[in-house]
Amino acid sequence: MQNGPAVRRRKLGAELRTLRTGAGLTSGEAARLVGWHQSKVSRIETGASGVKPADVRLLLDAYEVRDRQLRELLLMLAGSEGTGDRHCWWHAYRGVLPPTYRDFISLESQACTMRTLETTVVPGLLQTPEYARAVTRAAVKDLDEEGLDALVEVRLARQDVLRAHPPLVLSAVLDEAVLRREVGGPEVMARQLERLTEAARLPQVRLQVLPFGAGAHVGLTGPFVIFSFPSTSDLDVVVLDQLTSSLYLERKEDLMAYSEAFDTLRMHALSPEETLDYIAGIGDGA
């Protein structure tokens, strides 16, 4: 388990190594092509040192990588702020966003699919402004109104990934407690349930509720997110959100374990159609 920057370095290095070998080059040959010492290529590929976006571009050009999506993804992992209009918008909020949150948003912005289990609150991508404000106010103490406004703006701006072309494909399993917990008061919660119903009808969103009647389940250990990326599965990562930080799991064994856990949760959860009826029943006071 590592922090976001370490995961990005390792994943970027591993992908660059794969691209180099795919191009039929040794590390020494790659270094000569871009005018570096061979040790620099090795340090980048092992994740021992960071790499500037400009250096990544040199390597991608040397390896004749033309896939635009893959290039953008690797430049994002290197910290590029120039990979497109929809990317890196969160840099404008550096003053209010902790590094772990910025890391999470950067992954979310480039992922093609997101699988998430939520046990306490509605996923950020599906929150209404009022619900987001209530959750943020409760979670972040000693926050002035300006800071609160900024964090809510960020939460809402993140939702653009669901309207992008192509959009992020979101599959979410919500414990029933998420729907029953009254956040922000009855009116806020009523509107939030309506928002979930609207989102569940989007083709890029699959929403399922895990009712209390399902009993004990693998998700009792806590919420998690699995990000998958276009062009390569080697960059997939599991994110576990903690009170003061986030943990990133990148080993294939961890990815497989959480993917299997998510599949099990989906099997025990209500179907998307049943979920719509269940949400409507809670909204009606059932």
Side-chain angles (χ1 to χ4, degrees), residues 89-90 93 96-98 100-102 104-105 108-109 114 118 120-140 143 146-163 168 170 178 183 192 195 241-243 246:
W89 54 264
W90 56 91
Y93 296 90
V96 294
L97 297 182
T100 52
Y101 194 13
R102 296 200 300 269
F104 184 90
I105 297 173
E108 183 180 74
S109 73
M114 174 179 175
E118 285 291 350
T120 54
V121 297
V122 171
L125 295 182
L126 303 179
Q127 292 178 8
T128 66
E130 297 79 14
Y131 186 98
R133 179 172 290 273
V135 167
T136 304
R137 190 185 295 279
V140 185
L143 191 64
E146 184 178 357
L148 179 61
D149 289 343
L151 289 178
V152 173
E153 284 177 17
V154 169
R155 184 67 55 92
L156 300 179
R158 283 174 48 203
Q159 298 175 3
D160 284 346
V161 294
L162 295 176
R163 298 182 286 270
L168 174 74
L170 173 65
V178 172
V183 174
Q192 181 59 67
R195 169 70 179 123
D241 211 17
Q242 308 294 315
L243 182 61
S246 295

Side-chain angles (χ1 to χ4, degrees), residues 62 116 119 123 166 229 243 260 284:
T116 181
T119 58
F229 296 88
L243 182 61
E260 290 176 353
D284 292 337

Side-chain angles (χ1 to χ4, degrees), residues 50-93:
V51 55
K52 297 176 181 178
D55 289 342
V56 172
R57 287 192 184 91
L58 283 176
L59 292 173
L60 294 178
D61 290 342
Y63 304 156
E64 298 184 354
V65 177
R66 303 289 180 245
D67 186 321
R68 183 183 60 80
Q69 255 188 337
L70 180 57
R71 288 179 69 97
E72 284 193 358
L73 175 57
L74 298 181
L75 287 169
M76 180 275 292
L77 290 174
S80 174
E81 298 188 26
T83 54
D85 291 338
R86 83 175 242 235
H87 303 133
C88 301
W89 54 264
W90 56 91
H91 286 286
Y93 296 90

Side-chain angles (χ1 to χ4, degrees), residues 130-225:
E130 297 79 14
Y131 186 98
R133 179 172 290 273
V135 167
T136 304
R137 190 185 295 279
V140 185
K141 301 299 183 184
D142 303 322
L143 191 64
D144 60 26
E145 285 300 312
E146 184 178 357
L148 179 61
D149 289 343
L151 289 178
V152 173
E153 284 177 17
V154 169
R155 184 67 55 92
L156 300 179
R158 283 174 48 203
Q159 298 175 3
D160 284 346
V161 294
L162 295 176
R163 298 182 286 270
H165 301 286
L168 174 74
V169 176
L170 173 65
S171 182
V173 174
L174 309 185
D175 190 276
E176 184 174 345
V178 172
L179 308 180
R180 299 286 183 183
R181 178 170 289 104
E182 194 173 277
V183 174
E187 290 184 8
V188 169
M189 204 61 207
R191 174 62 191 124
Q192 181 59 67
L193 293 177
E194 291 175 3
R195 169 70 179 123
L196 286 175
T197 299
E198 295 165 1
R201 294 195 172 102
L202 295 173
Q204 66 270 35
V205 176
R206 181 185 177 93
L207 188 63
Q208 294 179 258
V209 169
L210 194 62
F212 290 146
H217 54 78
V218 66
L220 291 176
T221 55
F224 60 85
V225 173

